[in-house]
Amino acid sequence: QVQLVESGGGLVQPGGSVRLSCVASGISIRWYGMAWYRQAPGKQRELVAGITVGGTTNYADAVKGRFTISRDNGKKVVYLQMNSLKFEDTADYYCNAHGSESQYWGQGTQVTVSS
């Protein structure tokens, strides 16, 4: 059974930092593109950052220069380092693994940016 389990969310002040982790089980993430998505209340889920099997990264314009996605294939973990957080970063953040024939989602972790 494939599971993606996110952690690291919580309440953070504007300008602060948080690191999200996504631990995979049941798959070897080295064969999957990995990504973080987010969904704010009343909005559609959107791509935040992605990292390919080869390590190439891409980011939504809203987070470029502030967020960094990375992966540790041996530990089966994907990270999202979030710096200089803004109120508008408040959302549920979801981990995604996508391969040629399958796709998996985590249950999400909530990040709330508030003073």
Side-chain angles (χ1 to χ4, degrees):
Q1 182 181 2
V2 177
Q3 281 191 313
L4 301 177
V5 180
E6 302 96 333
S7 63
L11 178 65
V12 61
Q13 292 187 336
S17 298
V18 68
R19 188 176 78 161
L20 305 183
S21 300
C22 169
V23 180
S25 59
I27 58 171
S28 176
I29 68 167
R30 68 179 66 250
W31 309 118
Y32 287 80
M34 302 297 296
W36 287 95
Y37 285 75
R38 68 185 179 187
Q39 187 167 19
K43 294 188 177 182
Q44 289 188 331
R45 190 173 295 189
E46 62 177 2
L47 175 67
V48 175
I51 184 166
T52 67
V53 169
T56 301
T57 58
N58 64 284
Y59 298 92
D61 288 343
V63 307
K64 280 181 181 177
R66 300 189 297 121
F67 291 10
T68 302
I69 187 171
S70 61
R71 62 193 297 160
D72 185 328
N73 292 334
K75 293 182 179 179
K76 296 186 178 182
V77 182
V78 179
Y79 303 100
L80 184 67
Q81 179 67 44
M82 306 163 63
N83 298 329
S84 303
L85 283 161
K86 304 176 180 180
F87 293 116
E88 51 264 42
D89 294 318
T90 294
D92 292 325
Y93 284 74
Y94 297 89
C95 181
N96 171 271
H98 49 280
S100 58
E101 298 180 351
S102 55
Q103 179 173 225
Y104 305 99
W105 292 93
Q107 292 299 306
T109 186
Q110 187 174 65
V111 174
T112 301
V113 183
S114 176
S115 55

